[in-house]
């Protein structure tokens, strides 16, 4: 719970800082835009990590590694084991998904405030 709060507050702080950097000021609309970018990026990162961890790209990764390994054998290098891509990627996807969803909820609340006030 503490990590989620720290991640959420750092995401909010990052959107405030990016709003100052890119828009030279902090308005509610700029904050909404930056929160959308950060939340959407976190959700996208978590979904890509989820797909890779489930083994969707293992065959493609194995094929490319096998192809490069065959080319290296012609050069005289020795053969090595080829790990699965799902074994190589070990990022926790649930943490970034939860932070991204919280950021999107903050963005939706801010958007409601923007349009109704």
């Amino acid at each position: 719970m503490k990590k989620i709060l720290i991640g959420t507050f750092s995401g909010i702080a990052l959107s405030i800082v990016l709003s100052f950097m890119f828009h030279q000021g902090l308005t509610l609309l700029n904050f909404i835009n930056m929160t959308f970018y950060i939340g959407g990026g976190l959700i996208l990162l978590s979904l890509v990590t989820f797909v890779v961890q489930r083994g969707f790209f293992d065959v493609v990764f194995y094929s490319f590694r096998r192809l490069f390994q065959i080319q290296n054998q012609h050069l005289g290098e020795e053969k090595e084991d080829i790990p699965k891509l799902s074994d190589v990627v070990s990022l926790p996807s649930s943490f970034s998904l939860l932070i991204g969803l919280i950021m999107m909820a903050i963005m939706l609340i801010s958007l409601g405030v923007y349009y109704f006030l």
Side-chain angles (χ1 to χ4, degrees):
M1 185 68 173
K2 186 177 179 180
K3 288 182 181 181
I4 294 170
L5 286 175
I6 291 171
T8 303
F9 286 130
S10 61
I12 292 171
L14 182 63
S15 36
I16 290 171
V17 168
L18 289 176
S19 179
F20 276 116
M21 284 176 56
F22 290 117
H23 300 290
Q24 287 77 32
L26 180 64
T27 63
L28 186 56
L29 186 61
N30 295 338
F31 175 75
I32 291 168
N33 289 336
M34 288 301 151
T35 308
F36 174 76
Y37 294 144
I38 293 170
L42 286 172
I43 290 172
L44 183 67
L45 174 72
S46 66
L47 292 177
V48 167
T49 306
F50 178 77
V51 168
V52 169
Q53 285 177 346
R54 296 297 179 244
F56 186 77
F57 294 109
D58 282 346
V59 174
V60 175
F61 183 71
Y62 178 81
S63 300
F64 277 113
R65 290 291 302 249
R66 181 83 175 132
L67 176 71
F68 291 129
Q69 190 177 43
I70 290 172
Q71 289 177 353
N72 289 340
Q73 284 178 357
H74 292 298
L75 297 176
E77 295 182 10
E78 60 188 52
K79 189 176 181 178
E80 63 184 44
D81 272 346
I82 302 173
K84 293 180 180 178
L85 182 62
S86 58
D87 295 336
V88 174
V89 176
S90 63
L91 295 173
S93 61
S94 61
F95 178 72
S96 59
L97 178 66
L98 188 59
I99 299 295
L101 290 174
I102 291 172
M103 293 293 291
M104 292 301 244
I106 291 170
M107 185 265 313
L108 285 174
I109 292 169
S110 301
L111 196 60
V113 168
Y114 179 76
Y115 278 116
F116 292 120
L117 291 182

